[in-house]
């Protein structure tokens, strides 16, 4: 009867893992599988079976931690905004913080722009470099 319990536990944990796809219960499925075999080959009490399950699940969890950490590190994906930093744009409306004006065109797209140096006025037609994307505005500096 105990073997049937652990077999059902393996199936339940595998189904839970398939439904979540988040590595939530895979360690419990592996621990239940080890416990199933230990129960089949050895006469174990419920407490011993529970101990085998806990230890085996913990071992599988510890063994998979390097894989999980590696997977998390590779998740950084550059956004389109990050790709625009360092590119050249052309001023189509004078950039002046005092007047609240400033527009540039970058890859055919019209952007609102502010100068990197707040006191600087950048005239129309100047080629600027994008320093930062701030929502719908670009922080720019004249090309030197």
């Amino acid at each position: 009867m105990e073997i049937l319990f652990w077999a059902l536990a393996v199936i339940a944990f595998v189904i839970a893992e398939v439904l979540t796809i988040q590595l939530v219960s895979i360690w419990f499925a592996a621990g239940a599988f080890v416990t199933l075999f230990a129960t089949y080959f050895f006469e174990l009490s419920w407490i011993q079976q529970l101990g085998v399950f806990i230890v085996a699940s913990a071992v599988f969890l510890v063994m998979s931690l390097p894989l999980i950490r590696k997977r998390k590190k590779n998740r950084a994906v550059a956004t389109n905004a990050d790709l625009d930093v360092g590119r050249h744009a052309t001023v189509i409306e004078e950039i002046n913080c005092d007047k609240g004006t400033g527009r540039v065109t970058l890859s055919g797209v019209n952007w609102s722009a502010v100068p990197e140096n707040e006191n600087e006025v950048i005239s129309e037609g100047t080629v600027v470099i994008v320093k930062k994307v701030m929502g719908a505005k670009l922080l720019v500096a004249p090309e030197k």
Side-chain angles (χ1 to χ4, degrees):
M1 191 66 170
E2 294 150 343
I3 294 171
L4 180 61
F5 171 80
W6 290 111
L8 292 174
V10 169
I11 293 168
F13 286 127
V14 167
I15 289 171
E17 183 61 37
V18 168
L19 293 176
T20 60
I21 315 171
Q22 294 290 322
L23 290 179
V24 173
S25 61
I26 193 71
W27 308 289
F28 301 127
F33 191 72
V34 169
T35 308
L36 170 72
F37 275 97
T39 303
Y40 181 77
F41 289 110
F42 304 104
E43 188 70 31
L44 300 175
S45 69
W46 273 104
I47 298 296
Q48 291 170 324
Q49 291 175 33
L50 186 60
V52 169
F53 173 71
I54 290 170
V55 169
S57 297
V59 167
F60 284 114
L61 173 63
V62 169
M63 287 173 37
S64 65
L65 284 177
L67 175 68
I68 293 169
R69 286 189 186 120
K70 182 179 177 183
R71 187 174 171 202
K72 279 191 172 188
K73 285 182 184 177
N74 294 338
R75 287 205 171 171
V77 176
T79 64
N80 288 342
D82 295 333
L83 298 175
D84 288 336
V85 173
R87 295 185 60 201
H88 292 83
T90 305
V91 178
I92 57 174
E93 177 187 9
E94 179 182 74
I95 301 173
N96 187 331
C97 283
D98 293 337
K99 293 181 182 177
T101 61
R103 305 227 30 106
V104 298
T105 183
L106 175 67
S107 301
V109 178
N110 193 339
W111 288 80
S112 179
V114 293
E116 187 175 38
N117 179 354
E118 290 181 16
N119 300 326
E120 189 172 21
V121 176
I122 305 173
S123 61
E124 187 176 332
T126 305
V127 176
V128 293
I129 299 174
V130 177
K131 297 294 186 174
K132 185 177 180 182
V133 178
M134 305 178 308
K137 285 189 178 186
L138 298 178
L139 182 69
V140 298
E143 183 179 45
K144 298 198 181 202

